[in-house]
Amino acid sequence: MNVLGIIASGVAALFITVALAKSARRAALRPHVPDEPGGRAPRAGALRGIGGAAAVLGVGTATGGALWLGAADGSAGSVAGLLAGAGAVAALGLVHDLKPLGAALRLAVQTAAAVLVVCLAGLSPAAGVLAVLWIVLVTNAFALLDHADGLLTTIGVVTAAGLLACALIDGSAALALLPAALAAGLAGFLLHNWHPARLRLGASGAQFTGFALAASGALIQAAAPSGRAAWAALPTLATVALADTALVLISRRRAARSPLRDTDDHIAHRLRRVRVTVPGAVILLALWAAVPVVTGTLVHAELLHPAFLLVPPAGSAAAVFALLRIPAYAPPRATSTRATPSRTAARRTTAHATGPAIPPASTGPAAPGGGAAPAPGTAAPAPGKTTATARTAEGHPTVPSPPAPTGRSAAQVAAERG
């Protein structure tokens, strides 16, 4: 087994990724980058989004150089097919970063790339169909983990380390090349992707990482000696990615939302709602991923009984049901109550029935135009104004006589006063 070739590919992937990511970061953070016309997002944001291309180029260059130098022994065809399929998926992701594509097209390209890997690996038809389904499922599951700074990068490093250990246990130097380069390249990219992230993997880097991990696991499983529990050990390495996918699908199904519409309902989002910081959520998920990775690796090496493989999925299922209790969607906004047409009509009817206030009647004779005539000796009111109260010649307001009591005449009242 060419251990030196594996180490050299990892070191090369680390340095190339760091150099390319540093250049991409300088271009993204350049202060004089103007906004694009038409109200589009600034180019700096686009450069941050496609920063994962640096990791793709670093890992691909290191792995391709190792193949060219003969580090893959006699399995160069399988590794070349694996690298070609991952490169095709990464190119599709780069196009998706620049101009969003439909889900059907992305699934079609991922399926074609998986078929290419399976055909070059020489798997049987039954095993090939299962491998294609597994690769497409796990590729998208890992790609969904790119919803927090450094999350997919960290879990990718942990998972690639587990795949590297399984390949070394089987003595397959060819299948260990890509996991070694991927682990080193993602570790170098993590320097710029840790919170607060200056660069993001984007669809290109996320789909490349997911496809490389899924296809490497399928090929390592197919190349494992018969009688070993590799068929059960290797799927355990994708426990966290599959748990996040299950959480999202169940949550959106309960809320009657589209499963293809991405929103803030992933594991890291729910941990943020219970006051866990972004780095804290990444560390928790990395520890969560490390448990099934270590368990699967030890079972693959026949150091643990295969029954231990039931522990990580059971714990992950319990964690998913616990996370479902954390609210992920905001409640609907309360609509302001407005007056209904019937209430509005009632208000209008009341206003018409009430009418304007009627001024008090004056005691003098009616003047032309409907106003009260002024008393003799008083000044006439200005045009356009009305007299509020009738007044006497001395200027005092007139006071009407009190009404006579019932049963007595006015003469009797006058006699009593006199």
Side-chain angles (χ1 to χ4, degrees):
M1 181 173 56
N2 193 350
V3 180
L4 292 178
I6 298 174
I7 297 175
S9 64
V11 173
L14 175 63
F15 282 101
I16 295 173
T17 302
V18 169
L20 294 176
K22 188 175 182 179
S23 301
R25 178 181 174 181
R26 287 179 178 177
L29 300 180
R30 188 175 303 168
H32 63 273
V33 176
D35 293 348
E36 293 184 0
R40 298 181 181 179
R43 294 189 180 95
L47 289 175
R48 294 189 189 100
I50 63 177
V56 174
L57 292 176
V59 175
T61 303
T63 307
L67 289 176
W68 181 67
L69 294 175
D73 298 335
S75 303
S78 300
V79 181
L82 177 58
L83 188 59
V89 172
L92 177 71
L94 183 60
V95 175
H96 180 70
D97 284 327
L98 301 176
K99 183 179 181 180
L101 303 175
L105 178 59
R106 286 179 287 166
L107 289 176
V109 174
Q110 292 171 3
T111 304
V115 169
L116 175 64
V117 173
V118 168
C119 292
L120 293 179
L123 299 181
S124 62
V129 172
L130 294 177
V132 169
L133 294 177
W134 171 258
I135 291 172
V136 174
L137 172 63
V138 177
T139 297
N140 291 279
F142 272 100
L144 288 177
L145 290 177
D146 190 29
H147 58 265
D149 294 347
L151 180 58
L152 176 58
T153 311
T154 305
I155 295 181
V157 171
V158 175
T159 309
L163 292 173
L164 174 61
C166 292
L168 294 177
I169 291 171
D170 294 337
S172 177
L175 297 179
L177 284 176
L178 187 55
L182 185 62
L186 292 178
F189 189 79
L190 187 60
L191 299 175
H192 307 278
N193 189 235
W194 189 256
H195 181 76
R198 277 75 65 187
L199 294 176
R200 295 185 292 108
L201 282 174
S204 177
Q207 293 188 19
F208 176 84
T209 302
F211 189 91
L213 293 173
S216 296
L219 294 185
I220 292 174
Q221 176 182 351
S226 59
R228 184 172 289 177
W231 60 272
L234 290 174
T236 311
L237 275 63
T239 300
V240 173
L242 295 177
D244 182 73
T245 303
L247 173 67
V248 168
L249 293 179
I250 294 174
S251 178
R252 295 176 186 176
R253 175 70 177 177
R254 287 183 174 183
R257 291 173 174 259
S258 172
L260 300 179
R261 185 178 180 181
D262 197 12
T263 184
D264 297 341
D265 54 358
H266 294 268
I267 295 178
H269 297 145
R270 296 171 189 266
L271 292 178
R272 291 285 293 136
R273 287 183 173 86
V274 293
R275 300 183 181 276
V276 179
T277 62
V278 174
V282 173
I283 293 174
L284 287 177
L285 288 175
L287 295 176
W288 183 357
V291 173
V293 166
V294 173
T295 304
T297 303
L298 293 178
V299 171
H300 187 80
E302 297 181 341
L303 298 177
L304 284 181
H305 193 273
F308 283 94
L309 294 175
L310 299 177
V311 177
S316 299
V320 167
F321 281 106
L323 290 170
L324 284 173
R325 300 176 63 87
I326 301 176
Y329 310 110
R333 297 181 179 178
T335 56
S336 59
T337 56
R338 297 181 178 179
T340 57
S342 59
R343 293 181 180 179
T344 306
R347 292 177 181 176
R348 292 178 179 177
T349 304
T350 305
H352 284 295
T354 304
I358 302 176
S362 61
T363 57
T378 59
K385 295 184 180 181
T386 58
T387 306
T389 307
R391 298 179 181 272
T392 60
E394 294 77 9
H396 300 288
T398 57
V399 179
S401 301
T406 307
R408 291 186 300 173
S409 63
Q412 292 177 349
V413 174
E416 292 177 358
R417 290 182 177 179

